[in-house]
Amino acid sequence: MILRALSRLLALSVLALASVPAGAKPAPVPVWAFEQSDLPVDPAFRFGRLPNGMRYIIRRNATPKDTAEVRLQIEAGSLDERDDERGFAHFVEHMAFNGSAHVPEGEMVKLLERQGLAFGADTNATTTFERTVYMLSLPRAEPALLDTALMLMRETASELSFDPAAVERERGVVLSEMRDGEGYNLDNAKDQMAFFYPQAHYPDRLPIGTAASLRSATAAALKAYWQRQYVPERVTLVVVGDYDADAIEAAIRTHFASWPARSAPPRPDEGRVLPEQQGEAHIHLDPALSERLTISRHGLWRREPDTAENRRINLMRQIGYGVINRRLLRLSRIVPPPFRGAGIGTSPVFRIGRTTNLIVDTADKGWRNGLIAAAQVYREALRRGFTDAEIAEQVANIRTGIENAAASADTRSNDALVATALLLLRDEKVPTTPAGVLERFNRNAPGFTPAAVLAALRADAIPLDAPLIRFQGRSAPEGGEAALRAAWNEAMLGPLRISVRSPSGTFAYTNFGPPGTVAADSTRDDLGIRMIRFANGVRLNLKRTDLEKDRILVRLHIDGGELIDTKDNPLATEMTQMIPAGGLGKHSQDDLETLLAGRSVSNGISAAGDTFVAGAGTTRRDLEAQLQLLAATITDPGWRASADVVFHESMTNFFARRDATPSSALANTLPGLLSGGDPRFAVQAPEAYQRLTMAKLKADIGERLARGAIELTLVGDFDPDAAIAMAARTFGALAPREPEFLPHEETRQRSFTPARGPTVIRHKGEPGQAIVRYVWPTTDDRDPVTVIGLELLQEVAGVEVLDTVREALGKSYSPGASSSLSRVWRGWGTFSVTASVDFADVAGTRAAIERTLADLAARPTDPDVLERARAPMRERLANLLKTNGGWLALTERAQSQPDRIERYQKARERLDALTGADIQTLAKRYLALDQAVIALVIPEGAAAPDR
């Protein structure tokens, strides 16, 4: 096999050499991938290149209005590191926020905060194997702010200072990030990469690096890496937003044209993916891992330029894999299912190979049945092909996505357009117009026949002959690696037994009775929110916008929610999110996917606070179908036992991971502790969840779904009168509902634990991992001035803790503060400060947090800190109603909770009125150290810290 693979590689090399005539110069490398494509580029993008080799992409866009996104992409990541530089690409990313030639050390983040950019949300960066990207989200499209953003990007690209003291402080932060990422998931990923890609370079170049290389990194060494890799020809700047394109281009030239050109070093050898690797099996165990089998074969990497023909072929591949995965999904929904889930696909491994994977997730000890069933689906598909109905379902879903994109093309968001630009840089995907995509799809669709799709799939998928088989789980399969291979061989050689029925018929829920009549109709002139009440009691809120063409957000609230839970029945609503898995009375979940193929509809539902909430995004064409589906979901749920199986298995996996990491241990333990052991907020015994069924859920919440008050909200691009008529034919036609949302006063009571001081929570993760969290009781959200005051205190505390625990001490990667005041639970609210740290640093971190909080209470907040905290809040308020999501948040309870609108309208005034002395008063009132619950999440078996 090795000789055969080497022969193929040699043949390819000979062909490549033969294609260049002797003495001819090689073709110049194109500046942009689309220069070698027949696909027309979206003309709204502007592409340019400075004389120094730096590229830029510009697009004017006004969604959201008066905002912009800036990205600086460096084509250098962890694959570019030398052996003694592991983790340097990521370390340099951190240093970009630590000072440069023209921005003093520690001032870059502060400068952005004063301009209204929140650290983390609006100011961020990421490092991968192949690139580093710096990201700024500009809350205002002001020329001065763009100038600041480009100045900072230029500082990052060529002017970083690498002060040794700053490197030393940041080292602790980077090591903290490394520590936080350790655990069973990372161990599993490393093991998987080592098995499947033993001669590839990337498993040894994880972006986080190694502790040894990070600890030994010097300022000079980091600077040397940065100077070598950050060169103009490796840099592309992307600016998308509400600016004139000429002005952006001029600003880019002003800031970057003076950057001297330098040659980029070649990327180190990336190693090999081995097409000849076969017939091996491997087992990896961890108590937190659910059972999974991965069956793989590798092939050579194929360069496939983004052309019209290759897109046509790729669509057929997508359809083929989609049909097989649809068969696998359908099989996972029978009772009992052979596996929890399965899927097949083929993907490149950088540019050194590609892999076809069949992945099968099974219940504990169910690996054999799952492997055989999934393998037979794969085998049957490749042998017998597909049906016309299966192809039609996939084509309908793809067509809908393409048509929806074309309909909303003129109001794509800045984020979506940035993603399109980055796809060009990362995957050489030509940015074409959505209308062009639709035109090509319609032209090609008649050729998407079962035979053509099967041929495209066979040409792409690497045959799973003598495949690599990897098992992960909690206990080894009986018979070990030999049993894995034997099961695969049985599936490949035995008779085909897998047969899955496709549904037929039409969607049965289009008639809910005579349309309801409108009993009340009013409009808020200030905001244009229209409020309808039907004769059956159903409320309807409408807000028409033109922010996103042909996009509509739907939100449904039904009285009850978590308030149905009681101390005697604390898990009453636990399975609510499984209702869609039970399908409808007349259709299973699986049947619905086929019957509604090509429709932009969904029916997720959950218990959230005082209501059951269902939400969806749809289009004008499918709005009525969406309303029909939601109305059917609450009036005729299927309550099928197939959902029980899925839920019970998910809970088995939950308990296996309940305390596997510090964060999971904290999340699953603290709510019960803070609530004094109230069973409604505490994790119950495993057997309690295994006793839950859809039949019990029906008994517990069925009456609420049938009779509870309803408030339905539509936000987006729709015709109001048509939408009212659709709502009248669906929700307005239902049997009368309760006229008001019920008070549920008994279950609104929630008490904060009287215990204060340290409490220890144990985790089973890495021995060096710990979390320190301080939690104080505050109040509920009835007083809007207190609400916004505590929100500002949260931002101030976050700034201060970041400055001390992260920047000054280098103890924690992401310390922060949070205020949560409940609208549901009477008197309930919490304020918390959290830091994830090394176990050895728990005492020092506590001391730093306590000093920080004592300072907040001891004196009025520093004016600069106050402004750095308040400015991003102002921008969030100013930009809230520039998106449909913001309008939905404001509108969804406009009739049952009208005070939410008044709060929004006065929020800026109340925010601006707050002073440093007000923040001090709130800190003194709520953040007394002797009133805090101090959760210390430490390793199992470790001695509790003395303080």
Side-chain angles (χ1 to χ4, degrees):
M1 290 298 293
I2 293 177
L3 290 175
R4 192 155 61 241
L6 289 173
S7 298
R8 285 200 301 268
L9 287 171
L10 181 60
L12 288 172
S13 300
V14 170
L15 287 172
L17 290 171
S19 65
V20 181
K25 293 183 178 180
V29 177
V31 176
W32 303 101
F34 55 72
E35 294 172 8
Q36 295 183 325
S37 174
D38 58 352
L39 292 165
V41 179
D42 185 342
F45 282 101
R46 180 180 297 190
F47 304 91
R49 190 184 193 190
L50 299 178
N52 60 12
M54 178 182 143
R55 299 183 297 174
Y56 55 85
I57 304 174
I58 299 168
R59 173 141 184 173
R60 181 161 199 172
N61 189 61
T63 306
K65 185 176 175 58
D66 193 36
T67 65
E69 296 292 330
V70 180
R71 302 288 186 271
L72 184 76
Q73 177 161 302
I74 318 293
E75 294 296 330
S78 59
L79 285 177
D80 297 282
E81 297 163 353
R82 296 168 179 166
D83 288 343
D84 60 347
E85 295 177 328
R86 294 174 65 180
F88 276 27
H90 177 246
F91 204 146
V92 166
E93 172 216 307
H94 276 246
M95 293 307 300
F97 296 97
N98 275 280
S100 60
H102 304 101
V103 180
E105 198 262 317
E107 287 298 315
M108 186 176 289
V109 171
K110 295 177 183 179
L111 172 63
L112 291 167
E113 287 173 336
R114 294 179 194 116
Q115 294 289 335
L117 281 74
F119 183 67
D122 305 312
T123 306
N124 216 325
T126 182
T127 302
T128 65
F129 290 102
E130 298 178 286
R131 56 191 58 88
T132 305
V133 182
Y134 298 91
M135 302 169 276
L136 295 176
S137 297
L138 308 187
R140 304 178 311 283
E142 295 175 352
L145 186 54
L146 177 64
D147 187 73
T148 298
L150 297 184
M151 179 274 290
L152 293 176
M153 291 301 193
R154 172 61 194 274
E155 294 291 293
T156 296
S158 67
E159 307 298 319
L160 296 183
S161 56
F162 293 95
D163 176 75
V167 168
E168 195 57 41
R169 285 190 296 272
E170 199 64 30
R171 187 191 320 278
V173 176
V174 176
L175 287 169
S176 171
E177 186 176 355
M178 168 182 277
R179 184 186 60 248
D180 289 351
E182 292 173 342
Y184 71 91
N185 274 322
L186 181 60
D187 291 343
N188 186 46
K190 287 180 177 179
D191 180 87
Q192 180 168 298
M193 289 185 289
F195 173 61
F196 286 121
Y197 305 106
Q199 291 188 25
H201 190 50
Y202 83 94
D204 295 322
R205 284 294 183 275
L206 296 182
I208 195 61
T210 67
S213 63
L214 295 175
R215 289 194 176 101
S216 64
T218 65
L222 290 169
K223 186 172 184 178
Y225 170 86
W226 167 74
Q227 287 180 323
R228 187 174 77 242
Q229 302 295 345
Y230 283 46
V231 299
E233 68 179 65
R234 278 194 167 174
V235 172
T236 306
L237 185 70
V238 179
V239 182
V240 176
D242 205 358
Y243 287 105
D244 175 74
D246 290 338
I248 297 174
E249 188 168 31
I252 291 172
R253 293 183 180 279
T254 297
H255 285 281
F256 289 92
S258 62
W259 187 10
R262 285 188 290 118
S263 296
R267 174 162 284 167
D269 178 46
E270 295 182 40
R272 296 180 60 223
V273 170
L274 306 175
E276 65 273 14
Q277 188 182 1
Q278 62 175 309
E280 302 172 22
H282 177 67
I283 295 169
H284 177 74
L285 303 178
D286 190 284
L289 286 175
S290 57
E291 211 162 87
R292 166 174 285 187
L293 296 121
T294 304
I295 300 95
S296 305
R297 279 302 303 266
H298 306 313
L300 298 173
W301 181 71
R302 297 191 304 210
R303 176 170 175 76
E304 296 181 326
D306 189 17
T307 64
E309 175 61 12
N310 281 337
R311 285 199 181 185
R312 184 187 70 84
I313 293 171
N314 281 328
L315 268 175
M316 289 196 291
R317 294 171 180 168
Q318 179 184 343
I319 293 167
Y321 288 119
V323 171
I324 299 177
N325 289 327
R326 183 72 177 89
R327 290 182 182 180
L328 291 167
L329 179 63
R330 186 172 287 127
L331 200 58
S332 74
R333 290 169 172 166
I334 66 174
V335 179
F339 43 71
R340 295 190 300 116
I344 189 171
T346 302
S347 57
V349 183
F350 301 97
R351 298 193 177 199
I352 58 174
R354 58 197 185 94
T355 299
T356 294
N357 288 314
L358 174 63
I359 298 175
V360 188
D361 291 318
T362 61
D364 284 354
K365 302 186 185 304
W367 67 268
R368 188 176 185 280
N369 287 342
L371 175 60
I372 292 174
Q376 289 211 333
V377 170
Y378 154 78
R379 180 181 162 204
E380 179 190 48
L382 271 292
R383 174 181 292 185
R384 298 176 180 172
F386 313 123
T387 67
D388 289 329
E390 288 177 313
I391 299 298
E393 180 177 333
Q394 296 298 315
V395 170
N397 288 329
I398 294 172
R399 183 192 301 278
T400 296
I402 293 173
E403 289 176 343
N404 290 349
S408 63
D410 294 341
T411 52
R412 281 176 286 174
S413 69
N414 291 340
D415 285 335
L417 292 169
V418 164
T420 297
L422 294 180
L423 275 176
L424 170 66
L425 304 180
R426 298 172 185 178
D427 299 331
E428 299 185 344
K429 180 87 169 177
V430 178
T432 56
T433 64
V437 173
L438 178 59
E439 186 277 327
R440 285 186 295 276
F441 177 85
N442 286 332
R443 184 177 354 119
N444 292 325
F448 298 156
T449 64
V453 168
L454 180 61
L457 183 67
R458 284 174 171 167
D460 186 60
I462 302 157
L464 296 177
D465 299 331
L468 306 171
I469 304 177
R470 182 179 184 272
F471 173 93
Q472 68 183 56
R474 290 185 266 274
S475 58
E478 185 176 348
E481 295 173 3
L484 298 175
R485 180 69 52 193
W488 176 263
N489 291 338
E490 178 182 336
M492 291 295 101
L493 298 174
L496 289 171
R497 298 188 179 91
I498 299 299
S499 178
V500 185
R501 176 188 64 85
S502 294
S504 60
T506 58
F507 185 58
Y509 297 90
T510 58
N511 186 352
F512 294 86
T517 58
V518 173
D521 186 349
S522 63
T523 301
R524 288 190 60 125
D525 294 333
D526 54 348
L527 295 170
I529 297 173
R530 188 170 177 182
M531 294 171 287
I532 307 290
R533 188 154 186 164
F534 290 103
N536 66 349
V538 169
R539 296 170 170 90
L540 172 66
N541 304 319
L542 303 173
K543 173 58 188 177
R544 189 188 181 283
T545 76
D546 57 3
L547 300 173
E548 296 181 74
K549 286 188 178 178
D550 195 41
R551 289 290 187 272
I552 305 164
L553 296 181
V554 181
R555 183 67 56 84
L556 173 67
H557 285 273
I558 306 169
D559 177 73
E562 293 172 286
L563 295 179
I564 303 304
D565 297 334
T566 66
K567 291 183 179 181
D568 293 332
N569 188 12
L571 300 178
T573 63
E574 185 72 23
M575 286 186 69
T576 301
Q577 75 277 6
M578 301 305 301
I579 288 176
L584 302 176
K586 298 177 182 178
H587 306 301
S588 70
Q589 180 191 29
D590 198 71
D591 289 351
L592 283 172
E593 288 197 19
T594 296
L595 296 174
L596 297 174
R599 299 292 188 94
S600 301
V601 296
S602 60
N603 65 331
I605 187 170
S606 63
D610 57 357
T611 62
F612 297 101
V613 182
T618 188
T619 64
R620 285 176 293 197
R621 176 182 59 189
D622 290 327
L623 177 57
E624 186 153 19
Q626 178 64 74
L627 296 179
Q628 290 169 347
L629 179 59
L630 288 178
T633 298
I634 67 169
T635 58
D636 192 23
W639 308 113
R640 285 177 176 78
S642 55
D644 299 350
V645 178
V646 178
F647 177 78
H648 293 156
E649 184 56 35
S650 71
M651 294 310 301
T652 296
N653 291 325
F654 165 79
F655 277 100
R657 299 168 181 168
R658 177 182 177 180
D659 52 5
T661 66
S663 58
S664 61
L666 181 67
N668 294 321
T669 306
L670 189 60
L673 289 176
L674 296 180
S675 302
D678 188 327
R680 295 175 296 165
F681 309 104
V683 175
Q684 302 298 297
E687 53 269 22
Y689 297 89
Q690 297 301 327
R691 287 195 295 266
L692 296 179
T693 63
M694 293 299 280
K696 181 181 184 307
L697 182 68
K698 178 180 181 180
D700 286 333
I701 75 169
E703 181 270 343
R704 286 292 82 205
L705 297 184
R707 298 183 58 243
I710 283 180
E711 189 160 6
L712 175 68
T713 301
L714 308 181
V715 171
D717 182 15
F718 56 83
D719 175 82
D721 291 336
I724 292 169
M726 293 176 193
R729 291 192 291 269
T730 52
F731 287 92
L734 302 181
R737 313 292 295 197
E738 290 171 349
E740 303 294 337
F741 287 78
L742 301 179
H744 299 284
E745 283 301 330
E746 274 191 33
T747 50
R748 286 185 186 274
Q749 306 308 310
R750 183 177 183 181
S751 300
F752 198 91
T753 177
R756 299 292 194 270
T759 183
V760 172
I761 297 171
R762 300 287 181 173
H763 72 83
K764 297 176 182 175
E766 298 301 305
Q769 295 175 330
I771 296 176
V772 176
R773 176 173 291 181
Y774 284 66
V775 187
W776 291 265
T778 54
T779 184
D780 60 30
D781 82 334
R782 277 176 284 190
D783 176 29
V785 176
T786 301
V787 171
I788 203 159
L790 283 170
E791 185 178 347
L792 182 55
L793 175 60
Q794 163 193 300
E795 300 299 318
V796 168
V799 168
E800 296 281 25
V801 169
L802 197 71
D803 285 349
T804 55
V805 177
R806 173 175 165 142
E807 300 302 333
L809 299 179
K811 298 291 187 186
S812 178
Y813 170 60
S814 56
S818 176
S819 173
S820 176
L821 308 188
S822 178
R823 180 176 281 266
V824 177
W825 319 113
R826 297 287 185 239
W828 180 267
T830 60
F831 192 100
S832 62
V833 174
T834 307
S836 174
V837 298
D838 192 293
F839 175 58
D841 290 330
V842 167
T845 302
R846 286 187 60 190
I849 289 174
E850 290 179 9
R851 284 195 302 272
T852 302
L853 296 173
D855 286 345
L856 286 175
R859 61 185 62 87
T861 300
D862 175 81
D864 182 60
V865 171
L866 189 66
E867 185 58 24
R868 288 164 54 200
R870 179 159 37 203
M873 291 179 64
R874 287 195 187 107
E875 298 300 342
R876 287 196 292 270
L877 286 169
N879 289 326
L880 178 68
L881 301 187
K882 294 179 181 179
T883 66
N884 282 342
W887 274 109
L888 181 64
L890 186 69
T891 308
E892 61 182 326
R893 300 294 295 273
Q895 295 186 58
S896 58
Q897 296 178 353
D899 65 298
R900 292 155 60 107
I901 295 176
E902 185 266 349
R903 288 187 181 205
Y904 166 74
Q905 291 175 319
K906 293 185 177 180
R908 175 62 186 267
E909 175 187 342
R910 288 166 174 161
L911 176 62
D912 287 343
L914 291 166
T915 66
D918 293 327
I919 299 304
Q920 179 191 13
T921 298
L922 287 167
K924 290 170 83 171
R925 178 179 178 185
Y926 289 112
L927 306 187
L929 290 174
D930 62 354
Q931 292 302 303
V933 171
I934 307 168
L936 306 176
V937 189
I938 63 175
E940 192 175 55
D946 292 336
R947 83 168 296 282

